[in-house]
Amino acid sequence: MVTIKDIAQAANVSASTVSRVIRGNPRISTHTREKVKATMKAFNYQPNQAARTLATKQSNTIGIIQKSASIEDSQNPFVIDVLSGIFSECKNHGYSTISTTNNETIGIELEVQEMIHYHSVDGFIVLYSKKDDPIIDILKAHAMPYVIIGKSLTNDGIIHIDNDNVSASQSLTRLLIDKGHNKFLFVAETGDYEVVKDRVAGHLKAIEQAGSLTEIVYFDKNRQHIRSFFQELIKYRTLPTIVITTDTLLNHLILSVFYELKLHIPTDIQTATFNDSYLNVFASPPQTTVNIYPKSLGEVAAESVINVIQGHDIVDFNKLIQTTIIERDSTTTIQGV
DNA sequence: CAGGTTGCACAAGGAACGTA
DNA sequence: TACGTTCCTTGTGCAACCTG
């Protein structure tokens, strides 16, 4: 392994000088700087990250805390897009990333505590917002820099990057009411997440204003439960004109159930969902969605946490990313309305 | 001589390993 | 078991050197 001493010897300078060149210290002349840089390149020298962490107590690594590493969560296009934004922004600033890999809260807690204990990370990005979250208590107790992608629950000086989900959901419902819908079914994810609460709240706001009908139901991603629910609906009650889901994957489960129950979209029933991605473009029929720009959420989150780590002044603690409704074939025509 | 540049010595950090 | 040493890098204060 090539160390700073080898470079110093080869360039005929001291290790301090090499270190100063690496850190961009202005005390080094242009001539010496170029000579050291050329030697580092010739030796393909990479600073020892472990030693650097030891010396500076900085790892140049951002920890990413996911609500779960289950396949449903980690392969969710929303999460993939958010991560893509985080990766590119971290790379731009010379930071790498590590992510939690556990499915259970207790496992995630242990992973986070280990990352803090071993100085593996300089700060964290939390990919969800949840009330009374024990993970947040750990971050606070260790005074770790962190930002949250999700809603701010308290004015506690923590940066939150979010969309206005109440307003986005309200706009989507209002648009669908304007298109003639008057009987909604709103399918929300279980799990006490703030984003879901806001989307339900926005939907109810628009419903109240228009005097339309809706029913709110909560499902986890269990196809059997969803199937049974719609079977009973068809058998004993009247179908809604449209189903809105709070999440793309939940929407896809419902699409597959509709296919099995021979419910044709958009003629028998219509669908709309949140978190636009290629899955909604490729779906049959293509799905009307709310684009919440997950890559931007990730980019702003990464930039914000790096600013906190580097001690920059924070002006805006609640950063809102815009949303856009994208209409596709799943809500094009309405039969009998 | 003044000012700019570089070197030296040392401390600090956590873990692993060696020695008394 | 307790203590010392080593690994590698960074940051700092001060000394030494070089050039105009």
Side-chain angles (χ1 to χ4, degrees):
Chain A
M1 186 179 69
V2 181
T3 70
I4 204 166
K5 285 179 188 169
D6 300 319
I7 301 301
Q9 197 176 17
N12 205 23
V13 295
S14 74
S16 308
T17 302
V18 178
S19 175
R20 283 169 181 148
V21 170
I22 294 169
R23 309 301 288 178
N25 189 311
R27 283 171 65 183
I28 304 298
S29 68
T30 308
H31 173 254
T32 304
R33 179 175 292 116
E34 292 311 315
K35 184 173 69 173
V36 170
K37 278 185 174 174
T39 309
M40 289 196 292
K41 196 174 175 187
F43 279 70
N44 196 23
Y45 168 73
Q46 293 294 327
N48 183 320
Q49 191 56 48
R52 178 177 275 179
T53 299
L54 211 53
T56 61
K57 293 181 189 166
Q58 291 241 307
S59 61
N60 274 32
T61 301
I62 304 295
I64 299 168
I65 303 175
Q66 304 194 53
K67 63 180 174 185
S68 148
S70 67
I71 288 176
E72 287 89 350
D73 285 323
S74 62
Q75 294 188 8
N76 187 323
F78 166 75
V79 173
I80 292 169
D81 286 346
V82 169
L83 290 177
S84 144
I86 292 173
F87 294 157
S88 68
E89 195 63 22
C90 282
K91 197 176 171 208
N92 287 344
H93 288 84
Y95 279 75
S96 53
T97 56
I98 50 173
S99 177
T100 53
T101 57
N102 229 283
N103 289 347
E104 306 297 330
T105 305
I106 184 73
I108 298 171
E109 281 180 42
L110 288 174
E111 281 189 65
V112 168
Q113 274 167 334
E114 268 191 17
M115 286 186 210
I116 296 170
H117 177 75
Y118 291 111
H119 301 290
S120 309
V121 297
D122 297 336
F124 288 94
I125 296 172
V126 185
L127 298 195
Y128 61 87
S129 174
K130 199 175 181 180
K131 211 173 179 182
D132 302 324
D133 185 1
I135 309 284
I136 298 298
D137 293 338
I138 293 171
L139 300 182
K140 280 183 181 167
H142 290 85
M144 288 300 295
Y146 68 96
V147 302
I148 294 176
I149 295 183
K151 191 184 180 184
S152 171
L153 300 172
T154 51
N155 291 321
D156 53 4
I158 300 303
I159 297 175
H160 288 77
I161 297 93
D162 198 11
N163 311 103
D164 185 344
N165 281 294
V166 175
S167 162
S169 186
Q170 191 178 2
S171 300
L172 176 65
T173 304
R174 194 181 300 132
L175 174 84
L176 295 168
I177 289 169
D178 289 346
K179 287 171 78 79
H181 287 287
N182 54 16
K183 191 170 190 309
F184 288 77
L185 177 69
F186 196 92
V187 181
E189 273 178 287
T190 53
D192 201 32
Y193 291 101
E194 295 303 316
V195 59
V196 174
K197 289 181 193 170
D198 280 357
R199 287 173 185 173
V200 170
H203 173 68
L204 288 175
K205 235 175 173 176
I207 291 290
E208 276 168 28
Q209 283 165 355
S212 302
L213 292 175
T214 192
E215 181 183 352
I216 313 287
V217 289
Y218 290 86
F219 284 115
D220 52 18
K221 294 189 183 84
N222 183 316
R223 194 177 187 283
Q224 195 51 47
H225 291 164
I226 295 171
R227 190 179 190 281
S228 304
F229 174 83
F230 280 103
Q231 271 180 320
E232 276 194 29
L233 199 66
I234 292 167
K235 205 168 173 184
Y236 301 112
R237 298 159 61 189
T238 52
L239 273 177
T241 58
I242 185 155
V243 177
I244 301 176
T245 47
T246 55
D247 175 75
T248 287
L249 293 188
L250 200 53
N251 186 59
H252 268 66
L253 272 180
I254 288 173
L255 295 187
S256 81
V257 166
F258 284 0
Y259 175 77
E260 197 180 324
L261 299 178
K262 296 187 168 44
L263 284 174
H264 186 259
I265 306 167
T267 50
D268 298 329
I269 194 165
Q270 302 204 343
T271 50
T273 186
F274 288 83
N275 305 357
D276 192 48
S277 73
Y278 63 90
L279 282 184
N280 296 305
V281 181
F282 295 165
S284 179
Q287 299 292 298
T288 289
T289 60
V290 177
N291 190 355
I292 60 172
Y293 299 96
K295 193 171 180 197
S296 297
L297 285 167
E299 285 168 347
V300 174
E303 188 191 20
S304 301
V305 77
I306 290 167
N307 279 339
V308 175
I309 291 165
Q310 296 178 345
H312 297 157
D313 287 340
I314 308 301
V315 182
D316 186 7
F317 284 91
N318 289 303
K319 305 187 182 204
L320 280 181
I321 305 297
Q322 60 158 342
T323 60
T324 312
I325 297 170
I326 301 171
E327 290 186 70
R328 298 200 181 93
D329 293 354
S330 68
T331 58
T332 44
T333 55
I334 296 180
Q335 194 126 340
V337 176

